[in-house]
Amino acid sequence: MTTVNTIDVEKGSMVLKLLGDKTRLTIVSLLMYDECCVCELVEILEMSQPSVSQHMKKLKAAEIVKERRQGQWIFYRINNESEVYPLVKSIMTHFPEQREKIKGLELKGLRVCCN
Amino acid sequence: MTTVNTIDVEKGSMVLKLLGDKTRLTIVSLLMYDECCVCELVEILEMSQPSVSQHMKKLKAAEIVKERRQGQWIFYRINNESEVYPLVKSIMTHFPEQREKIKGLELKGLRVCCN
DNA sequence: TGATTATATAAGTGGTTGCTTATATAATAT
DNA sequence: ATATTATATAAGCAACCACTTATATAATCA
């Protein structure tokens, strides 16, 4: 039998509330596949930049994502060291992959690449 | 590798939003252990009856729970035939069991028993 | 039948949320 | 230095949400 470390209701319900928004759920779904910067998310979600930034701020505060600055871009990725990561991960297995949306960005030449 | 049937973002985010409320998360957590009627939940949660009823209405509308009338009581239980049940179930494994709260009710003689 | 018990519903309200527009900060390029 | 690009923050606002109180519905009991 598999044993899972439990999260307290307070913290867990906050994670669920945050993922209970279609936009944020899609963002996290995208980030499960690869890290993204804000401007890529703006493009994919067809939303305003401030709106996306505000969502990222909430996801970061809940330790669902981490950020990394690279030049003028800030890349967000899933925080897989977080206490809430196991919960986030097992939730996301129930949603379709968003890979093709990122592929679509690449085809349009809008992917931010900086290595 | 384990394959999971995916849920669309629309439906899934609704489930997450509903479970993103501390009260409802606790209710579902309780129901994972055993069915309960409204008056039991009122006792355990120390909330008003209309408030609990309104939460149950939402959980039922999202097919997270089912109801069963027995005399004057209405018992709610997890809807394990629902499309969203796999998601609900895997979320709930991350939260502590609520068994002792139901045990507490029994000790106080407040458990509704009707067989 | 009338009283009691369990539950649901309706209406009102204060707090929260997700967007908008405007502006600030910060890195890069010319 | 100045302009451009990327991101964050602030303020305002309409929609939503979880509670409250009051009332309705429904089953049981005396």
Side-chain angles (χ1 to χ4, degrees):
Chain A
M1 198 209 134
T2 321
T3 308
V4 177
N5 287 328
T6 59
I7 304 176
D8 65 284
V9 168
E10 192 84 37
K11 197 165 222 164
S13 64
M14 175 54 69
V15 169
L16 296 170
K17 182 182 287 180
L18 287 173
L19 296 182
D21 174 90
K22 258 204 302 181
T23 302
R24 284 190 295 261
L25 187 59
T26 305
I27 290 173
V28 171
S29 204
L30 282 161
L31 296 184
M32 288 303 285
Y33 175 61
D34 197 5
E35 67 176 5
C36 285
C37 65
V38 176
C39 62
E40 291 173 325
L41 294 171
V42 166
E43 187 67 31
I44 292 172
L45 302 166
E46 298 178 40
M47 289 187 63
S48 76
Q49 176 269 313
S51 186
V52 171
S53 271
Q54 283 156 7
H55 284 305
M56 299 321 293
K57 185 180 184 175
K58 290 178 186 180
L59 291 172
K60 197 179 73 174
E63 298 186 303
I64 295 171
V65 304
K66 280 194 289 193
E67 64 176 16
R68 162 179 84 86
R69 178 178 276 279
Q70 178 145 358
Q72 44 185 338
W73 295 280
I74 293 180
F75 285 87
Y76 286 95
R77 66 180 186 286
I78 299 295
N79 183 352
N80 53 21
E81 287 155 14
S82 163
E83 185 194 354
V84 303
Y85 176 66
L87 173 59
V88 173
K89 190 184 164 197
S90 73
I91 288 171
M92 297 320 294
T93 62
H94 295 271
F95 293 94
E97 295 213 5
Q98 300 289 318
R99 198 173 302 195
E100 72 291 342
K101 288 205 182 136
I102 293 182
K103 293 282 183 203
L105 261 200
E106 283 169 7
L107 291 174
K108 283 200 279 176
L110 291 171
R111 197 79 214 278
V112 173
C113 294
C114 28
N115 303 314
Chain B
M1 196 207 132
T2 321
T3 307
V4 177
N5 288 330
T6 59
I7 304 176
D8 65 284
V9 169
E10 191 85 36
K11 196 165 223 163
S13 64
M14 175 54 68
V15 170
L16 295 170
K17 182 181 288 180
L18 287 174
L19 296 182
D21 173 89
K22 258 204 303 181
T23 302
R24 283 189 297 259
L25 187 57
T26 304
I27 290 172
V28 172
S29 204
L30 282 162
L31 297 184
M32 289 302 287
Y33 175 62
D34 197 5
E35 68 177 4
C36 285
C37 65
V38 176
C39 61
E40 291 173 325
L41 294 171
V42 166
E43 188 67 30
I44 292 172
L45 301 167
E46 298 178 38
M47 290 187 63
S48 75
Q49 175 270 315
S51 186
V52 171
S53 270
Q54 282 155 8
H55 284 306
M56 298 322 292
K57 186 180 184 176
K58 288 179 186 182
L59 291 173
K60 197 180 74 176
E63 298 185 305
I64 294 171
V65 304
K66 281 193 289 194
E67 63 175 19
R68 164 178 83 85
R69 178 178 277 278
Q70 178 145 357
Q72 44 186 341
W73 295 280
I74 293 180
F75 284 87
Y76 286 96
R77 64 182 187 284
I78 300 295
N79 183 350
N80 53 21
E81 288 155 14
S82 162
E83 185 194 355
V84 303
Y85 175 66
L87 172 60
V88 172
K89 190 183 165 200
S90 72
I91 288 171
M92 298 319 296
T93 63
H94 295 271
F95 293 94
E97 295 213 3
Q98 299 290 319
R99 198 173 304 193
E100 72 291 341
K101 289 205 181 136
I102 292 181
K103 293 283 181 201
L105 259 200
E106 284 170 6
L107 291 174
K108 284 200 278 177
L110 291 170
R111 197 81 215 277
V112 174
C113 293
C114 29
N115 304 311

